[in-house]
Amino acid sequence: AGMKIDPKSGEISYGWEVLMPPFDYDLGDAGKKLSDGWAFFTCYNSERATGKLEVTASQRDRDYIAAVNWRAAEKAIAEGKGDVIGGVKVLDPKKVPGVVYLLPCGKSPHGVDVAPDGKYIIGSGKLQGVTTAFNFEKVQTAIRNKDFTGDEDGIPVLKYESIKDAEVPVGLGPLHTQFGPDGYAYTSLFVDSAIAKWKLGTWEVVDKVPMSYSIGHLAAAEGDTVSPDGKYLVGLNKLSHGRHLSVGPSQPESSQLVDITEEKMKILLDAFTEPEPHYAQIIKADKVKPIEVYPKEENKNPLAIWDVKDAGVSREGGNVTAKVVLVRSTISPTVIEVNQGDLVKVALTNIEQTTDELHGFGLLDYNINVVVDPGETKTVTFRADKPGVFPYYCTNFCSALHQEMQGYLIVR
Ligand code: CUA
Protein backbone atom coordinates (compact mmCIF):
# COMPACT_ATOMS: atom_id res chain seq x y z
CA ALA A 1 0.00 0.00 0.00
CA GLY A 2 1.17 3.51 -0.78
CA MET A 3 0.18 5.99 1.91
CA LYS A 4 0.02 9.72 1.40
CA ILE A 5 1.31 12.02 4.13
CA ASP A 6 0.45 15.71 4.05
CA PRO A 7 3.81 17.40 4.77
CA LYS A 8 2.06 20.30 6.57
CA SER A 9 -0.55 18.64 8.75
CA GLY A 10 0.98 15.17 9.02
CA GLU A 11 -2.41 13.68 8.06
CA ILE A 12 -2.09 10.21 6.52
CA SER A 13 -4.45 9.03 3.81
CA TYR A 14 -4.71 5.99 1.57
CA GLY A 15 -2.97 6.28 -1.81
CA TRP A 16 -3.07 2.99 -3.66
CA GLU A 17 -2.37 -0.73 -3.39
CA VAL A 18 -0.64 -3.28 -5.60
CA LEU A 19 -2.38 -6.64 -5.90
CA MET A 20 0.15 -9.27 -4.75
CA PRO A 21 0.19 -13.07 -4.61
CA PRO A 22 -1.08 -14.54 -1.32
CA PHE A 23 2.36 -14.86 0.34
CA ASP A 24 3.16 -13.69 3.87
CA TYR A 25 4.79 -10.25 3.78
CA ASP A 26 7.21 -9.08 6.44
CA LEU A 27 9.47 -6.02 6.46
CA GLY A 28 10.28 -3.24 4.06
CA ASP A 29 12.84 -0.55 3.37
CA ALA A 30 12.74 2.44 1.05
CA GLY A 31 15.25 2.85 -1.73
CA LYS A 32 17.54 5.85 -1.46
CA LYS A 33 19.82 7.89 -3.76
CA LEU A 34 20.52 5.43 -6.64
CA SER A 35 17.41 3.37 -5.82
CA ASP A 36 15.19 6.33 -4.91
CA GLY A 37 11.66 5.76 -6.19
CA TRP A 38 11.69 2.09 -5.26
CA ALA A 39 10.72 0.20 -2.12
CA PHE A 40 11.60 -3.34 -1.09
CA PHE A 41 9.58 -5.84 0.94
CA THR A 42 10.41 -9.34 2.12
CA CYS A 43 7.92 -12.15 1.82
CA TYR A 44 7.86 -15.79 2.84
CA ASN A 45 5.53 -18.74 2.35
CA SER A 46 5.81 -18.36 -1.43
CA GLU A 47 4.58 -21.99 -1.30
CA ARG A 48 1.15 -20.42 -0.51
CA ALA A 49 0.77 -23.17 2.07
CA THR A 50 -1.78 -23.38 4.87
CA GLY A 51 -1.74 -25.58 7.96
CA LYS A 52 1.53 -26.37 9.69
CA LEU A 53 3.59 -23.58 8.12
CA GLU A 54 6.69 -24.55 10.10
CA VAL A 55 6.97 -27.43 7.64
CA THR A 56 4.82 -26.51 4.64
CA ALA A 57 6.08 -22.94 4.18
CA SER A 58 9.78 -23.89 4.12
CA GLN A 59 9.83 -26.30 1.20
CA ARG A 60 11.30 -24.03 -1.43
CA ASP A 61 14.92 -22.90 -1.19
CA ARG A 62 14.01 -19.33 -1.96
CA ASP A 63 11.30 -16.84 -1.19
CA TYR A 64 11.31 -13.27 -2.47
CA ILE A 65 12.07 -9.63 -1.98
CA ALA A 66 9.37 -7.66 -3.80
CA ALA A 67 10.81 -4.58 -5.49
CA VAL A 68 8.10 -1.95 -6.05
CA ASN A 69 8.66 0.98 -8.40
CA TRP A 70 6.39 3.34 -6.48
CA ARG A 71 6.91 6.23 -8.88
CA ALA A 72 5.62 4.00 -11.70
CA ALA A 73 2.72 2.99 -9.44
CA GLU A 74 1.83 6.65 -8.79
CA LYS A 75 2.01 7.42 -12.49
CA ALA A 76 -0.25 4.45 -13.34
CA ILE A 77 -2.75 5.55 -10.70
CA ALA A 78 -2.69 9.12 -12.07
CA GLU A 79 -3.42 7.69 -15.52
CA GLY A 80 -6.47 5.92 -14.09
CA LYS A 81 -5.10 2.41 -14.36
CA GLY A 82 -6.19 1.29 -10.89
CA ASP A 83 -9.32 -0.75 -10.16
CA VAL A 84 -11.29 0.46 -7.18
CA ILE A 85 -11.68 -2.37 -4.65
CA GLY A 86 -13.29 -1.57 -1.31
CA GLY A 87 -12.79 2.15 -1.92
CA VAL A 88 -9.04 1.82 -2.62
CA LYS A 89 -7.33 2.13 -6.01
CA VAL A 90 -5.58 -1.18 -6.68
CA LEU A 91 -3.02 -1.89 -9.42
CA ASP A 92 -3.04 -5.37 -10.90
CA PRO A 93 0.54 -6.22 -12.07
CA LYS A 94 -0.95 -8.46 -14.79
CA LYS A 95 -2.63 -5.42 -16.37
CA VAL A 96 -0.01 -2.83 -15.37
CA PRO A 97 3.48 -4.25 -15.92
CA GLY A 98 6.63 -2.53 -14.63
CA VAL A 99 5.38 -1.75 -11.14
CA VAL A 100 6.67 -4.77 -9.23
CA TYR A 101 9.37 -7.44 -9.65
CA LEU A 102 10.42 -10.35 -7.45
CA LEU A 103 14.04 -10.87 -6.34
CA PRO A 104 14.67 -14.48 -5.23
CA CYS A 105 16.10 -14.48 -1.69
CA GLY A 106 17.13 -17.21 0.78
CA LYS A 107 13.99 -18.80 2.22
CA SER A 108 12.01 -17.04 4.95
CA PRO A 109 13.83 -13.71 4.87
CA HIS A 110 13.11 -11.31 7.71
CA GLY A 111 14.62 -7.88 7.05
CA VAL A 112 15.63 -6.15 3.84
CA ASP A 113 17.98 -3.21 4.14
CA VAL A 114 19.15 -0.70 1.55
CA ALA A 115 22.77 0.53 1.87
CA PRO A 116 23.40 4.29 2.39
CA ASP A 117 24.28 4.89 -1.28
CA GLY A 118 21.20 2.97 -2.41
CA LYS A 119 23.28 0.58 -4.51
CA TYR A 120 23.04 -2.59 -2.43
CA ILE A 121 19.92 -4.29 -1.16
CA ILE A 122 20.77 -6.71 1.65
CA GLY A 123 18.49 -9.67 2.31
CA SER A 124 18.99 -13.00 4.02
CA GLY A 125 17.16 -16.25 4.48
CA LYS A 126 16.89 -16.57 8.23
CA LEU A 127 17.90 -20.24 8.12
CA GLN A 128 21.02 -19.51 6.04
CA GLY A 129 24.67 -18.88 6.88
CA VAL A 130 25.06 -16.09 4.34
CA THR A 131 23.45 -12.79 3.53
CA THR A 132 22.97 -11.71 -0.08
CA ALA A 133 23.97 -8.30 -1.43
CA PHE A 134 21.79 -7.56 -4.46
CA ASN A 135 23.06 -4.87 -6.81
CA PHE A 136 20.38 -2.33 -7.77
CA GLU A 137 22.07 -1.54 -11.13
CA LYS A 138 22.09 -5.27 -11.97
CA VAL A 139 18.40 -5.42 -11.00
CA GLN A 140 17.70 -2.62 -13.49
CA THR A 141 19.73 -4.34 -16.21
CA ALA A 142 17.92 -7.63 -15.62
CA ILE A 143 14.57 -5.82 -15.89
CA ARG A 144 15.64 -4.16 -19.17
CA ASN A 145 16.91 -7.49 -20.59
CA LYS A 146 13.86 -9.41 -19.33
CA ASP A 147 16.29 -11.71 -17.52
CA PHE A 148 13.44 -13.58 -15.81
CA THR A 149 13.15 -17.19 -14.64
CA GLY A 150 9.36 -17.18 -14.48
CA ASP A 151 6.57 -15.25 -12.83
CA GLU A 152 4.20 -15.35 -9.87
CA ASP A 153 0.67 -14.28 -10.84
CA GLY A 154 2.11 -12.20 -13.67
CA ILE A 155 4.90 -10.61 -11.59
CA PRO A 156 8.31 -11.32 -13.20
CA VAL A 157 10.86 -13.24 -11.11
CA LEU A 158 14.40 -11.95 -11.76
CA LYS A 159 17.27 -14.41 -12.19
CA TYR A 160 19.14 -14.65 -8.86
CA GLU A 161 22.60 -15.12 -10.43
CA SER A 162 22.13 -11.99 -12.55
CA ILE A 163 21.26 -9.58 -9.75
CA LYS A 164 23.46 -10.58 -6.81
CA ASP A 165 26.93 -9.18 -6.18
CA ALA A 166 27.87 -11.45 -3.28
CA GLU A 167 26.82 -13.98 -0.70
CA VAL A 168 28.59 -12.81 2.44
CA PRO A 169 29.41 -15.60 4.97
CA VAL A 170 28.22 -13.64 8.00
CA GLY A 171 27.13 -16.61 10.15
CA LEU A 172 23.94 -18.45 11.01
CA GLY A 173 20.50 -16.91 11.09
CA PRO A 174 21.06 -13.46 9.55
CA LEU A 175 18.06 -11.19 10.17
CA HIS A 176 18.75 -7.47 9.83
CA THR A 177 21.56 -5.24 8.58
CA GLN A 178 22.53 -1.73 9.57
CA PHE A 179 25.28 0.49 8.22
CA GLY A 180 28.19 2.65 9.38
CA PRO A 181 29.65 5.79 7.75
CA ASP A 182 32.74 3.94 6.47
CA GLY A 183 31.24 1.26 4.23
CA TYR A 184 30.79 -1.28 7.00
CA ALA A 185 27.60 -3.25 7.49
CA TYR A 186 26.39 -4.92 10.69
CA THR A 187 24.18 -7.99 10.48
CA SER A 188 22.32 -9.56 13.42
CA LEU A 189 22.66 -13.34 13.65
CA PHE A 190 19.74 -14.95 15.47
CA VAL A 191 21.07 -18.54 15.53
CA ASP A 192 24.69 -17.57 16.29
CA SER A 193 23.60 -14.93 18.89
CA ALA A 194 26.11 -12.46 17.49
CA ILE A 195 26.60 -9.38 15.34
CA ALA A 196 28.82 -9.70 12.25
CA LYS A 197 30.68 -6.68 10.91
CA TRP A 198 31.51 -6.80 7.23
CA LYS A 199 32.56 -4.52 4.40
CA LEU A 200 30.39 -3.53 1.44
CA GLY A 201 32.21 -4.09 -1.86
CA THR A 202 34.97 -6.40 -0.56
CA TRP A 203 32.38 -8.60 1.20
CA GLU A 204 34.88 -9.46 3.91
CA VAL A 205 33.67 -10.30 7.43
CA VAL A 206 36.04 -8.42 9.76
CA ASP A 207 34.64 -9.04 13.25
CA LYS A 208 31.92 -10.70 15.29
CA VAL A 209 30.71 -9.81 18.76
CA PRO A 210 28.58 -12.25 20.79
CA MET A 211 25.22 -11.09 22.17
CA SER A 212 23.76 -12.44 25.42
CA TYR A 213 21.08 -14.46 23.64
CA SER A 214 19.40 -14.54 20.22
CA ILE A 215 19.63 -11.04 18.83
CA GLY A 216 16.69 -9.94 16.66
CA HIS A 217 16.79 -6.36 15.49
CA LEU A 218 19.71 -4.01 15.78
CA ALA A 219 20.08 -0.25 15.39
CA ALA A 220 23.23 1.66 14.48
CA ALA A 221 23.30 5.43 14.98
CA GLU A 222 21.37 6.79 11.97
CA GLY A 223 22.32 3.40 10.52
CA ASP A 224 19.52 3.15 7.95
CA THR A 225 19.89 6.68 6.53
CA VAL A 226 22.02 8.03 3.65
CA SER A 227 24.53 9.32 6.22
CA PRO A 228 25.07 6.81 9.05
CA ASP A 229 26.69 8.35 12.12
CA GLY A 230 28.68 5.31 13.31
CA LYS A 231 30.00 5.21 16.90
CA TYR A 232 27.20 3.18 18.50
CA LEU A 233 24.97 0.24 17.81
CA VAL A 234 22.30 -1.43 19.95
CA GLY A 235 21.58 -5.15 19.75
CA LEU A 236 18.00 -6.02 20.75
CA ASN A 237 18.01 -9.52 22.18
CA LYS A 238 15.06 -11.86 22.40
CA LEU A 239 15.99 -13.26 25.82
CA SER A 240 18.30 -12.08 28.60
CA HIS A 241 19.49 -15.51 29.81
CA GLY A 242 21.34 -14.94 33.06
CA ARG A 243 22.33 -11.31 32.47
CA HIS A 244 20.41 -10.10 35.54
CA LEU A 245 18.91 -11.21 38.86
CA SER A 246 15.85 -13.36 38.22
CA VAL A 247 12.65 -11.80 39.57
CA GLY A 248 10.18 -14.43 38.46
CA PRO A 249 9.03 -16.51 35.51
CA SER A 250 8.55 -13.43 33.34
CA GLN A 251 11.92 -11.79 32.90
CA PRO A 252 12.98 -8.64 31.12
CA GLU A 253 14.83 -9.02 27.87
CA SER A 254 18.16 -7.43 27.15
CA SER A 255 19.63 -4.87 24.82
CA GLN A 256 23.35 -4.37 24.51
CA LEU A 257 25.17 -1.20 23.51
CA VAL A 258 28.14 -1.79 21.24
CA ASP A 259 31.01 0.60 20.43
CA ILE A 260 31.66 0.42 16.67
CA THR A 261 34.35 3.13 16.40
CA GLU A 262 37.24 0.63 16.16
CA GLU A 263 37.59 -2.33 13.80
CA LYS A 264 36.89 -4.65 16.77
CA MET A 265 33.45 -4.11 18.27
CA LYS A 266 33.15 -3.69 22.07
CA ILE A 267 30.12 -4.23 24.31
CA LEU A 268 29.75 -1.16 26.54
CA LEU A 269 26.53 -1.73 28.46
CA ASP A 270 23.59 -4.05 29.12
CA ALA A 271 20.10 -2.64 29.60
CA PHE A 272 16.87 -4.51 30.19
CA THR A 273 13.78 -3.91 28.11
CA GLU A 274 10.21 -5.08 27.85
CA PRO A 275 9.49 -8.20 25.78
CA GLU A 276 10.02 -8.23 22.96
CA PRO A 277 12.29 -5.45 21.77
CA HIS A 278 11.37 -5.14 18.14
CA TYR A 279 12.84 -1.99 16.75
CA ALA A 280 14.85 1.04 17.74
CA GLN A 281 16.28 4.12 16.10
CA ILE A 282 19.29 6.12 17.23
CA ILE A 283 19.24 9.71 16.02
CA LYS A 284 21.32 12.75 16.93
CA ALA A 285 19.89 14.58 19.94
CA ASP A 286 19.90 17.98 18.18
CA LYS A 287 17.41 16.63 15.62
CA VAL A 288 14.79 16.21 18.36
CA LYS A 289 12.93 19.51 18.67
CA PRO A 290 9.83 18.87 20.77
CA ILE A 291 7.42 21.61 21.79
CA GLU A 292 7.69 22.46 25.49
CA VAL A 293 4.02 23.33 26.12
CA TYR A 294 0.89 23.06 23.99
CA PRO A 295 0.39 26.53 22.46
CA LYS A 296 -2.67 28.24 23.97
CA GLU A 297 -3.79 29.51 20.51
CA GLU A 298 -3.96 25.92 19.22
CA ASN A 299 -6.22 24.78 22.06
CA LYS A 300 -9.64 24.69 20.38
CA ASN A 301 -11.47 22.91 23.19
CA PRO A 302 -14.64 25.00 23.80
CA LEU A 303 -14.45 24.16 27.51
CA ALA A 304 -10.86 25.41 27.92
CA ILE A 305 -10.46 28.28 30.40
CA TRP A 306 -7.28 30.18 31.21
CA ASP A 307 -8.15 32.08 34.37
CA VAL A 308 -8.97 30.71 37.82
CA LYS A 309 -11.93 33.16 38.07
CA ASP A 310 -13.63 31.39 35.13
CA ALA A 311 -13.55 28.04 36.93
CA GLY A 312 -16.86 26.70 38.17
CA VAL A 313 -19.82 24.39 37.80
CA SER A 314 -22.90 24.91 35.58
CA ARG A 315 -26.02 22.84 35.10
CA GLU A 316 -28.47 22.16 32.27
CA GLY A 317 -31.14 19.75 33.50
CA GLY A 318 -29.32 16.60 34.63
CA ASN A 319 -26.12 17.54 32.80
CA VAL A 320 -23.42 19.19 34.88
CA THR A 321 -20.28 20.76 33.41
CA ALA A 322 -17.31 21.61 35.61
CA LYS A 323 -14.68 23.87 34.06
CA VAL A 324 -11.53 23.20 36.04
CA VAL A 325 -8.17 24.98 36.11
CA LEU A 326 -5.06 23.08 37.11
CA VAL A 327 -2.17 25.27 38.20
CA ARG A 328 0.30 25.04 41.10
CA SER A 329 -0.95 24.16 43.65
CA THR A 330 -4.75 24.26 43.48
CA ILE A 331 -7.44 22.44 41.55
CA SER A 332 -10.06 25.18 40.97
CA PRO A 333 -12.87 24.88 41.95
CA THR A 334 -11.98 23.07 45.18
CA VAL A 335 -15.54 21.74 45.47
CA ILE A 336 -17.76 20.25 42.73
CA GLU A 337 -21.29 19.73 43.98
CA VAL A 338 -23.79 17.62 42.02
CA ASN A 339 -26.94 15.52 42.55
CA GLN A 340 -27.06 11.75 42.44
CA GLY A 341 -27.83 10.63 38.88
CA ASP A 342 -26.30 13.70 37.18
CA LEU A 343 -24.12 13.22 34.12
CA VAL A 344 -20.96 15.10 35.07
CA LYS A 345 -18.45 16.37 32.54
CA VAL A 346 -15.19 17.66 34.00
CA ALA A 347 -13.04 19.76 31.63
CA LEU A 348 -9.50 20.06 32.94
CA THR A 349 -7.21 22.78 31.60
CA ASN A 350 -3.60 22.82 32.71
CA ILE A 351 -2.74 26.54 32.32
CA GLU A 352 0.95 26.08 33.21
CA GLN A 353 3.33 27.52 30.59
CA THR A 354 6.36 25.86 32.17
CA THR A 355 8.15 22.82 30.74
CA ASP A 356 7.25 19.49 32.34
CA GLU A 357 4.65 20.93 34.74
CA LEU A 358 2.04 18.23 34.42
CA HIS A 359 -0.95 17.95 36.70
CA GLY A 360 -3.23 15.02 37.24
CA PHE A 361 -6.84 14.59 38.27
CA GLY A 362 -7.60 11.47 40.26
CA LEU A 363 -11.09 10.59 41.50
CA LEU A 364 -10.58 7.15 42.98
CA ASP A 365 -14.20 6.33 43.78
CA TYR A 366 -15.20 6.90 40.15
CA ASN A 367 -12.14 5.13 38.74
CA ILE A 368 -10.85 8.31 37.04
CA ASN A 369 -7.21 9.31 36.66
CA VAL A 370 -5.99 11.60 33.87
CA VAL A 371 -2.79 13.54 33.40
CA VAL A 372 -2.92 16.88 31.58
CA ASP A 373 0.14 18.45 29.91
CA PRO A 374 0.89 22.20 30.08
CA GLY A 375 -1.50 24.07 27.77
CA GLU A 376 -3.72 21.02 27.25
CA THR A 377 -7.43 20.46 28.00
CA LYS A 378 -8.84 17.00 28.67
CA THR A 379 -12.40 16.05 29.60
CA VAL A 380 -13.77 13.15 31.61
CA THR A 381 -17.46 12.28 31.87
CA PHE A 382 -19.14 10.05 34.44
CA ARG A 383 -22.56 9.33 35.93
CA ALA A 384 -22.63 10.46 39.59
CA ASP A 385 -24.39 7.29 40.76
CA LYS A 386 -22.81 7.01 44.23
CA PRO A 387 -23.82 9.56 46.85
CA GLY A 388 -21.19 10.85 49.26
CA VAL A 389 -18.09 13.02 49.51
CA PHE A 390 -15.16 11.93 47.36
CA PRO A 391 -11.73 13.53 47.25
CA TYR A 392 -10.10 14.45 43.96
CA TYR A 393 -6.43 15.23 43.80
CA CYS A 394 -3.43 15.87 41.59
CA THR A 395 -1.74 12.60 40.64
CA ASN A 396 1.52 13.93 39.18
CA PHE A 397 4.21 15.34 41.46
CA CYS A 398 4.27 19.08 40.62
CA SER A 399 5.66 21.06 43.56
CA ALA A 400 6.40 20.85 47.28
CA LEU A 401 2.65 21.39 47.76
CA HIS A 402 1.62 18.66 45.30
CA GLN A 403 -0.21 16.70 47.97
CA GLU A 404 -2.21 19.81 48.94
CA MET A 405 -3.51 20.07 45.36
CA GLN A 406 -6.90 18.49 46.03
CA GLY A 407 -10.66 19.12 46.40
CA TYR A 408 -13.97 17.32 46.91
CA LEU A 409 -16.77 15.99 44.77
CA ILE A 410 -20.01 16.15 46.74
CA VAL A 411 -22.81 13.98 45.38
CA ARG A 412 -26.07 14.90 47.17
CU1 CUA B 1 -0.31 19.33 40.48
CU2 CUA B 1 0.76 17.59 41.72
Side-chain angles (χ1 to χ4, degrees):
M3 312 301 288
K4 188 174 187 176
I5 303 171
D6 186 310
K8 272 202 180 129
S9 68
E11 286 291 315
I12 300 178
S13 56
Y14 238 127
W16 39 266
E17 287 184 5
V18 179
L19 192 65
M20 295 295 290
F23 308 151
D24 287 70
Y25 296 86
D26 199 355
L27 290 172
D29 198 11
K32 44 177 93 97
K33 291 192 169 172
L34 193 65
S35 50
D36 181 43
W38 289 71
F40 305 92
F41 303 89
T42 51
C43 61
Y44 58 101
N45 190 13
S46 58
E47 293 85 352
R48 312 180 190 213
T50 56
K52 198 174 181 186
L53 294 188
E54 184 184 3
V55 178
T56 55
S58 302
Q59 297 173 81
R60 288 173 150 195
D61 279 343
R62 296 199 187 282
D63 289 299
Y64 300 112
I65 292 168
V68 178
N69 184 342
W70 59 259
R71 284 229 171 80
E74 283 193 350
K75 187 162 170 279
I77 290 290
E79 289 165 358
K81 289 179 180 162
D83 304 317
V84 177
I85 303 175
V88 182
K89 289 175 190 155
V90 180
L91 291 172
D92 183 345
K94 275 201 278 301
K95 294 189 237 165
V96 189
V99 168
V100 57
Y101 298 91
L102 295 171
L103 287 48
C105 181
K107 68 173 146 190
S108 301
H110 201 14
V112 53
D113 299 284
V114 180
D117 61 4
K119 183 172 173 182
Y120 299 113
I121 301 141
I122 313 300
S124 331
K126 64 185 174 216
L127 307 169
Q128 281 187 305
V130 297
T131 190
T132 301
F134 298 95
N135 182 321
F136 182 75
E137 286 161 330
K138 290 184 177 175
V139 168
Q140 295 305 305
T141 305
I143 290 171
R144 271 197 304 278
N145 296 342
K146 299 202 186 321
D147 193 0
F148 307 145
T149 57
D151 75 282
E152 296 271 8
D153 296 1
I155 302 171
V157 176
L158 302 178
K159 190 173 170 197
Y160 179 76
E161 287 73 22
S162 303
I163 56 175
K164 75 153 181 13
D165 255 13
E167 288 179 344
V168 186
V170 285
L172 281 177
L175 294 188
H176 304 282
T177 299
Q178 291 263 295
F179 303 95
D182 40 15
Y184 284 106
Y186 302 84
T187 299
S188 59
L189 305 170
F190 181 77
V191 179
D192 273 356
S193 285
I195 294 170
K197 175 177 182 174
W198 53 279
K199 187 104 185 173
L200 294 162
T202 70
W203 317 119
E204 184 194 354
V205 178
V206 297
D207 191 30
K208 270 192 199 182
V209 65
M211 291 281 100
S212 64
Y213 193 89
S214 293
I215 178 173
H217 286 264
L218 77 175
E222 308 203 334
D224 50 13
T225 70
V226 294
S227 54
D229 196 42
K231 302 189 187 85
Y232 298 107
L233 179 151
V234 171
L236 302 162
N237 304 333
K238 298 297 188 190
L239 296 162
S240 54
H241 264 234
R243 300 295 288 194
H244 67 104
L245 183 67
S246 173
V247 290
S250 171
Q251 297 185 12
E253 289 167 16
S254 82
S255 55
Q256 292 177 307
L257 181 68
V258 180
D259 182 338
I260 56 169
T261 47
E262 309 287 330
E263 178 146 309
K264 286 262 166 221
M265 295 179 282
K266 258 195 320 246
I267 292 186
L268 297 175
L269 183 81
D270 274 47
F272 301 103
T273 62
E274 293 290 306
E276 59 141 279
H278 217 106
Y279 210 64
Q281 289 285 347
I282 306 176
I283 68 168
K284 285 183 183 154
D286 60 13
K287 284 184 178 160
V288 182
K289 296 187 177 72
I291 57 167
E292 300 285 326
V293 299
Y294 285 103
K296 189 176 165 180
E297 59 277 10
E298 287 179 21
N299 186 326
K300 307 283 187 223
N301 192 309
L303 297 176
I305 49 170
W306 301 94
D307 194 319
V308 169
K309 70 178 188 320
D310 297 325
V313 180
S314 63
R315 162 183 298 282
E316 233 176 278
N319 294 320
V320 173
T321 301
K323 292 185 190 174
V324 173
V325 166
L326 305 171
V327 68
R328 278 164 291 173
S329 295
T330 304
I331 299 176
S332 303
T334 54
V335 172
I336 298 173
E337 203 172 323
V338 303
N339 297 325
Q340 189 177 5
D342 284 345
L343 189 65
V344 183
K345 181 186 258 191
V346 181
L348 305 148
T349 302
N350 178 350
I351 67 169
E352 299 278 359
Q353 292 294 297
T354 308
T355 302
D356 208 19
E357 269 300 337
L358 318 182
H359 296 291
F361 180 84
L363 180 56
L364 175 69
D365 299 85
Y366 280 91
N367 193 27
I368 286 165
N369 185 7
V370 289
V371 171
V372 190
D373 288 350
E376 190 182 30
T377 300
K378 280 185 181 166
T379 58
V380 290
T381 304
F382 60 95
R383 178 77 61 188
D385 48 10
K386 281 177 287 196
V389 178
F390 308 105
Y392 52 77
Y393 43 87
C394 179
T395 52
N396 199 287
F397 189 91
C398 52
S399 75
L401 295 175
H402 154 72
Q403 284 170 291
E404 282 75 1
M405 194 165 171
Q406 54 173 286
Y408 290 95
L409 169 74
I410 300 172
V411 183
R412 292 201 177 274

